[in-house]
Each structure stands twice: as structure tokens, then as C-alpha cells.
Amino acid sequence: MFCLVYRSVASPTFNQVDVKEMLEKARDNNSRDSITGCLLYYEGEFIQYLEGNQIKVLNLFDKIKEDKRHKDVTILAYGVADTREFKDWEMAYADFFGDNDQINYFKLLIGSYKENPDSTAHLNPSVKAFWIAVRENLGKTLESQP
């Protein structure tokens, strides 16, 4: 299982309607290509974790890099994993506005990591990089939510 984590900055005109349209298309395409993952969007920044067949993930990433809805696409990590981290999510999404199951999941994971930073020792390097980026960029926001 190949996995890739990247960060990017949304274009200034990108809005919630654009997010919804992008997610609908991504979920359909990812389901077809057996790609799973998680997309986080907060204050104009994306962090995304993709997993699946290496060729399909890299082909998708090539398209992502060319997408004009964002810029400054930076790979945070990539590698091979034994299992899927987001096996049931064609593309999990959280925008951190309002309470939902995904936000609660992230709160739990970030809280667990803060209590025991060594708990991520068993994670593959790519998923570890994803959670570190989530914690660094979004941890304070998640902690402040009820």
C-alpha cells in the first residue's frame, strides 16, 4: 500500500461550495481507483493523506499538483504501509466548522498523541507525518472546540 501526504494553500477565491464540488468528484474517482485518505481544510490550507496503488496515487497527485484551486503543493511524506489508515473513507473530510464525527475522531487522536507522543511509534512514517502536520496546524483549534 503506497501512501502520500502533502500540504497546499488554497487559492484566494476557493470557498465552501468549491470544497463540496471537489469532494463529490474526488470521492467518486477515489472509489473507482481504490484510493482512500483524508483531506483537511482549515484557514485556507489543505493537508491530505492518500493511500492506494502507487501508480494510481501518483497519477492522482500529478493532477492535484496542476489543480489551479491551490498552490504551493509540498510533499510532507510518502512511503509504503502494510494496511490502510483510512480504509473506510474514499475521502474523509474535515473543515473544522461545527461538531461532527470526523472532528471528534481528530480530537481523540490528537489528544492521545499529546498524552503519549510515543504512541505513534508503530505508525508508518507517512501517516505519522500526516498526524504531526494535523497536530501542528490544527491542534489548538481542535482543543478549543467544545
Side-chain angles (χ1 to χ4, degrees), residues 8 13 23 28 34 42 47 53 58-59 64 68 71 77-78 88 95 102 127 137 139 141:
S8 67
T13 59
L23 282 171
D28 288 342
S34 297
Y42 179 69
I47 300 172
N53 172 278
L58 291 174
N59 285 339
I64 288 169
K68 300 299 182 203
K71 61 182 181 177
Y78 63 91
D88 296 325
D95 66 11
Q102 289 158 335
V127 78
N137 291 303
T141 300

Side-chain angles (χ1 to χ4, degrees), residues 12-96:
T13 59
F14 196 78
N15 61 45
Q16 291 298 322
V17 173
D18 295 325
V19 170
K20 184 178 179 185
E21 290 173 2
M22 180 182 68
L23 282 171
E24 288 173 4
K25 186 175 180 181
R27 286 178 176 145
D28 288 342
N29 292 337
N30 291 352
S31 178
R32 178 197 66 220
D33 293 336
S34 297
I35 294 174
T36 54
C38 184
L39 173 66
L40 304 175
Y41 176 66
Y42 179 69
E43 294 188 344
E45 186 172 301
F46 293 103
I47 300 172
Q48 186 166 29
Y49 179 94
L50 299 167
E51 58 192 2
N53 172 278
Q54 183 173 359
I55 292 171
K56 290 181 179 182
V57 169
L58 291 174
N59 285 339
L60 173 59
F61 186 64
D62 284 341
K63 292 176 186 174
I64 288 169
K65 290 187 298 187
E66 299 301 319
D67 192 323
K68 300 299 182 203
R69 294 175 287 194
H70 65 153
K71 61 182 181 177
D72 300 331
V73 179
T74 305
I75 294 177
L76 301 178
Y78 63 91
V80 177
D82 294 330
T83 60
R84 289 181 187 265
E85 182 72 14
F86 296 98
K87 65 181 179 181
D88 296 325
W89 295 351
E90 281 82 21
M91 187 48 57
Y93 170 71
D95 66 11
F96 303 101

Side-chain angles (χ1 to χ4, degrees), residues 1 3 8-9 17 26 30 43 45 48 59 69 86 93 104 106 110 118-119 124 132 142 145:
M1 179 72 47
C3 43
S8 67
V9 177
V17 173
N30 291 352
E43 294 188 344
E45 186 172 301
Q48 186 166 29
N59 285 339
R69 294 175 287 194
F86 296 98
Y93 170 71
N104 290 328
F106 291 118
I110 288 172
D118 294 332
S119 66
N124 77 64
I132 288 170
L142 293 176
Q145 291 184 353

